[in-house]
Amino acid sequence: MTEQKPFHNECHMNSRCNQYDRCPMVTVHQIISGKWKLLILWYLNGKTLRFGDLQRKLPDATQKMLTKQLRSLEQDQLIIRTVYATVPPKVEYRLSDIGQDLIPLLESMHTFGAKHYTQYDENL
């Protein structure tokens, strides 16, 4: 019998994820948690955007926070940052192949949001 890792004991998927050193949901949580990460990934779906484009799409995000979230997504290899040697510098962001793998998950989340929109819209 395989020894259960302590953090798998409470998981309803413990028999499926016990083969890993940590629950795969922990990995997902670590790479997409952040106030703006989901929306950044969503807006980059099928597009290449510049920093200013993302700022316009996320007007409540400060420049500092948006920069921090973009750097984190780049470090986690979910987006690709391309810098063009122009004056002023031009920087573009797009989804990496790994980032593209998240799109079906984001589409499911969008479907959930659309289905329950009226129930939660009043409280948000």
Side-chain angles (χ1 to χ4, degrees):
M1 182 165 130
T2 308
E3 179 183 334
Q4 289 276 346
K5 293 161 184 82
F7 52 83
H8 290 297
N9 291 339
E10 302 301 320
C11 178
H12 73 281
M13 303 278 282
N14 63 6
S15 62
R16 289 178 55 191
C17 66
N18 194 41
Q19 64 185 312
Y20 305 105
D21 289 334
R22 66 175 179 207
C23 177
M25 281 302 292
V26 172
T27 300
V28 173
H29 180 260
Q30 286 177 338
I31 63 175
I32 66 172
S33 67
K35 188 166 184 176
W36 302 106
K37 286 183 179 182
L38 289 175
L39 290 175
I40 292 168
L41 294 166
W42 184 248
Y43 290 136
L44 289 175
N45 182 18
K47 295 181 182 136
T48 298
L49 297 174
R50 295 178 69 180
F51 186 86
D53 298 325
L54 288 165
Q55 275 188 310
R56 282 186 287 283
K57 290 180 179 294
L58 302 166
D60 294 334
T62 65
Q63 181 175 349
K64 181 180 178 180
M65 181 55 72
L66 185 55
T67 299
K68 180 180 176 182
Q69 299 283 273
L70 288 165
R71 284 183 182 152
S72 179
L73 288 166
E74 183 183 15
Q75 182 179 1
D76 290 333
Q77 301 176 11
L78 297 178
I79 65 171
I80 296 170
R81 178 178 182 259
T82 305
V83 180
Y84 297 93
T86 60
V87 178
K90 178 181 172 183
V91 180
E92 293 180 337
Y93 299 91
R94 63 185 171 87
L95 291 179
S96 67
D97 289 341
I98 297 170
Q100 286 288 341
D101 286 346
L102 282 171
I103 295 305
L105 173 64
L106 299 180
E107 288 172 346
S108 293
M109 293 170 80
H110 182 274
T111 300
F112 174 89
K115 181 178 179 180
H116 299 286
Y117 179 82
T118 57
Q119 178 180 350
Y120 292 101
D121 188 49
E122 297 171 2
N123 301 321
L124 300 176

